[in-house]
């Protein structure tokens, strides 16, 4: 009986040992297979054909950026709609659309008989005012000597005050029409009035023609000064805390993303836009350009912070599905796939963090990684 039990025990131990050996052998085979699946070897001709290049991990100061959209706008004080207070027939048009004009430049002249009458009224009132001032002075002296009645003195005073008020009213009307009342005489009465530019800028639209009657208060010219363009950028609630006055921005026209321009944030609105959980951020453009126009949509990147980190050229990182990989050299013409996590991308470099330990001095494929991945995933449904 004892011998029987001993035989059974030896058989059990032998069977267990065989199973363990089989498991260890299978595990070793799986490990070797995994390594083989992550390694690719090219010939010298293939490496030359794809211009494969090696480099090293680098320490880079990468800037984290926030991408936001917006458009170019002009402050209201740098855009003008020009009209006149009184209508008239267009006599001259002295500018063209697209032309730059300085503030005060005459844009056009119009003829209006009411303007002539207004000047006549001013000169007649001035002549009457001279008489009334002398009459008032005479009546005041008589009143001081108790020679005339108080009512006569008060009447002279009243008429003088009325004439003085009328003079200021007529002066103001003439000034608004561009006529200098202080230099007006019977010999230089103007038959036409000038329409002047209220601001410096470019003539955007001309809404009149020669001989046409220009209505009072109708918009005759539009002028814009693009030198004061700024950015209106829309920042949503989740990103508001990242934005500060003074932050630098690079932006591009949405139709020309290759050409960037610098700007700097100077103001942040303190309330959400209607029906949106977003605020407008305003940025001043730091250069003069003729290619930017009001109303253009832009894509902007706000520089948030700087990180000193390990990075590689962005071209060195390839994707397979949602995973990111690089390739390192493990021998002559042999390269191993390494899974990495990525971070900030800036100026053609991307932050990388290797999941498995990799020597700091490892040679990394910085050009041609895509071809290595293609060879490695051939037939496996690469995405």
């Amino acid at each position: 009986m004892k011998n029987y039990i001993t035989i059974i025990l030896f058989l059990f131990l032998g069977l267990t040992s065989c199973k363990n050996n089989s498991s260890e052998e299978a595990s070793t085979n799986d490990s070797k297979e995994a390594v083989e699946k992550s390694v690719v070897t090219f010939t010298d001709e293939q490496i030359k054909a794809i211009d494969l290049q090696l480099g090293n991990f680098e320490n880079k100061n990468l800037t984290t950026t926030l991408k936001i959209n917006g458009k170019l706008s002009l402050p209201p004080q740098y855009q003008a709609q020009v009209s006149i207070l009184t209508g008239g027939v267009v006599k001259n048009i002295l500018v063209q659309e697209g032309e730059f004009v300085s503030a005060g430049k005459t844009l056009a002249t119009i003829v209006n008989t009411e303007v002539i009458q207004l000047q006549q009224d001013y000169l007649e009132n001035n002549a009457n005012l001279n008489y009334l001032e002398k009459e008032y002075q005479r009546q005041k002296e008589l009143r001081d000597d108790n020679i005339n009645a108080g009512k006569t003195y008060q009447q002279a005073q009243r008429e003088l005050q009325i004439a003085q008020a009328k003079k200021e009213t007529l002066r103001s009307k003439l000034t608004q029409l561009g006529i200098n009342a202080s230099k007006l005489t019977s010999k230089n009465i103007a038959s036409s009035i000038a329409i002047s530019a209220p601001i410096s800028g470019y003539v955007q639209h001309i809404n009149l023609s020669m001989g046409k009657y220009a209505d009072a208060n109708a918009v005759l010219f539009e002028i814009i000064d693009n030198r004061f363009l700024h950015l209106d950028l829309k920042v949503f609630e989740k990103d508001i805390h990242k934005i500060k006055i003074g932050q630098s921005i690079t932006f591009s026209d949405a139709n020309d993303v290759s050409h960037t321009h610098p700007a700097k944030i100077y103001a942040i609105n303190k309330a959400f836009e209607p029906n949106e959980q977003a605020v407008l951020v305003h940025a001043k453009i730091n250069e003069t350009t003729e290619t930017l126009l009001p109303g253009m949509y832009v894509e902007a990147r706000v520089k948030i912070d700087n990180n000193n980190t390990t990075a590689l050229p962005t071209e060195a990182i390839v994707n397979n599905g949602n995973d990111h990989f690089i390739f390192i050299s493990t021998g002559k013409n042999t390269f191993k796939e390494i899974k990495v996590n990525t971070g900030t991308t800036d100026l053609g470099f991307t932050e990388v963090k290797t999941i498995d330990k990799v020597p700091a001095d490892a040679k990394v494929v910085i050009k041609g990684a895509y071809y290595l991945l293609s060879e490695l995933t051939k037939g496996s449904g690469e995405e």
Side-chain angles (χ1 to χ4, degrees):
M1 184 64 179
K2 185 181 294 184
N3 291 337
Y4 179 72
I5 292 173
T6 299
I7 291 171
I8 291 175
L9 182 59
F10 275 118
L11 288 173
F12 175 75
L13 291 175
L15 183 62
T16 301
S17 176
C18 290
K19 185 180 291 185
N20 287 342
N21 288 337
S22 298
S23 297
E24 289 177 4
E25 185 177 347
S27 177
T28 300
N29 290 335
D30 289 343
S31 178
K32 287 181 179 179
E33 187 177 349
V35 170
E36 289 175 358
K37 286 183 178 181
S38 66
V39 174
V40 60
T41 300
F42 270 12
T43 65
D44 290 339
E45 290 75 14
Q46 287 175 310
I47 290 176
K48 184 177 180 180
I50 65 174
D51 191 24
L52 186 145
Q53 296 177 19
L54 299 176
N56 298 95
F57 291 102
E58 300 183 41
N59 286 324
K60 287 284 183 180
N61 195 32
L62 302 184
T63 301
T64 303
T65 60
L66 172 66
K67 183 180 178 181
I68 48 181
N69 297 320
K71 66 178 182 178
L72 294 168
S73 299
L74 267 178
Q77 61 268 40
Y78 297 111
Q79 47 188 321
Q81 294 184 327
V82 185
S83 60
I84 51 176
L85 297 176
T86 182
V89 177
V90 178
K91 181 180 179 181
N92 291 306
I93 301 172
L94 305 175
V95 295
Q96 297 180 0
E97 289 188 357
E99 180 181 341
F100 182 85
V101 295
S102 300
K105 177 179 174 62
T106 299
L107 306 175
T109 59
I110 66 166
V111 177
N112 185 312
T113 55
E114 293 179 10
V115 175
I116 298 174
Q117 184 62 51
L118 192 61
Q119 294 171 87
Q120 180 181 335
D121 292 344
Y122 179 80
L123 292 174
E124 288 178 354
N125 184 74
N126 268 9
N128 188 44
L129 185 59
N130 289 334
Y131 165 76
L132 293 174
E133 286 174 345
K134 292 177 182 179
E135 178 63 16
Y136 168 75
Q137 190 62 36
R138 190 174 71 85
Q139 293 296 335
K140 184 177 185 299
E141 291 173 356
L142 292 174
R143 180 58 186 162
D144 291 341
D145 294 336
N146 290 320
I147 297 175
N148 66 345
K151 184 176 181 181
T152 303
Y153 165 72
Q154 292 172 356
Q155 180 68 22
Q157 185 183 44
R158 174 178 173 275
E159 289 178 356
L160 176 61
Q161 290 173 342
I162 291 174
Q164 288 173 333
K166 186 175 182 179
K167 176 182 179 179
E168 292 306 315
T169 299
L170 292 170
R171 180 197 294 274
S172 178
K173 288 182 177 180
L174 289 172
T175 299
Q176 290 178 353
L177 294 172
I179 298 173
N180 188 344
S182 63
K183 295 182 179 181
L184 182 62
T185 68
S186 59
K187 295 181 180 181
N188 64 359
I189 292 177
S191 61
S192 61
I193 59 175
I195 304 173
S196 301
I199 64 171
S200 297
Y202 294 91
V203 179
Q204 181 75 359
H205 294 296
I206 300 177
N207 301 318
L208 73 172
S209 56
M210 296 291 292
K212 181 181 178 181
Y213 185 86
D215 293 320
N217 301 318
V219 177
L220 305 180
F221 295 90
E222 292 182 27
I223 300 174
I224 58 171
D225 191 349
N226 289 347
R227 294 175 298 174
F228 296 92
L229 275 175
H230 71 270
L231 299 177
D232 284 342
L233 303 170
K234 190 176 293 185
V235 178
F236 289 94
E237 183 178 6
K238 64 183 180 64
D239 295 319
I240 292 174
H241 68 282
K242 302 175 184 177
I243 304 299
K244 297 178 180 61
I245 292 175
Q247 283 176 318
S248 296
I249 290 176
T250 56
F251 73 95
S252 59
D253 171 7
N255 297 315
D256 183 17
V257 294
S258 63
H259 190 191
T260 60
H261 311 273
K264 182 169 289 188
I265 294 175
Y266 70 86
I268 302 171
N269 282 10
K270 302 303 179 185
F272 287 124
E273 290 297 286
N275 305 317
E276 289 186 286
Q277 291 298 106
V279 299
L280 284 184
V281 172
H282 308 283
K284 180 181 179 181
I285 301 172
N286 295 336
E287 67 177 10
T288 302
T289 174
E290 298 291 333
T291 61
L292 300 178
L293 300 173
M296 275 187 173
Y297 287 95
V298 298
E299 296 179 356
R301 291 188 179 274
V302 184
K303 296 181 180 179
I304 305 300
D305 52 34
N306 293 325
N307 295 314
N308 192 283
T309 186
T310 301
L312 287 171
T314 303
E315 188 181 358
I317 304 165
V318 289
N319 303 329
N320 188 8
N322 295 323
D323 296 325
H324 305 283
F325 299 92
I326 62 172
F327 286 87
I328 64 171
S329 175
T330 57
K332 180 174 173 56
N333 298 356
T334 303
F335 310 94
K336 182 179 180 182
E337 181 186 58
I338 301 293
K339 188 175 182 179
V340 297
N341 291 325
T342 60
T344 301
T345 295
D346 183 35
L347 299 175
F349 283 81
T350 297
E351 177 184 6
V352 292
K353 296 179 181 178
T354 58
I355 296 174
D356 297 324
K357 189 174 181 180
V358 175
D361 60 350
K363 291 295 182 181
V364 182
V365 177
I366 60 172
K367 185 176 181 180
Y370 172 78
Y371 297 101
L372 296 178
L373 180 67
S374 300
E375 179 66 23
L376 200 63
T377 57
K378 189 182 297 181
S380 64
E382 177 194 355
E383 297 178 11

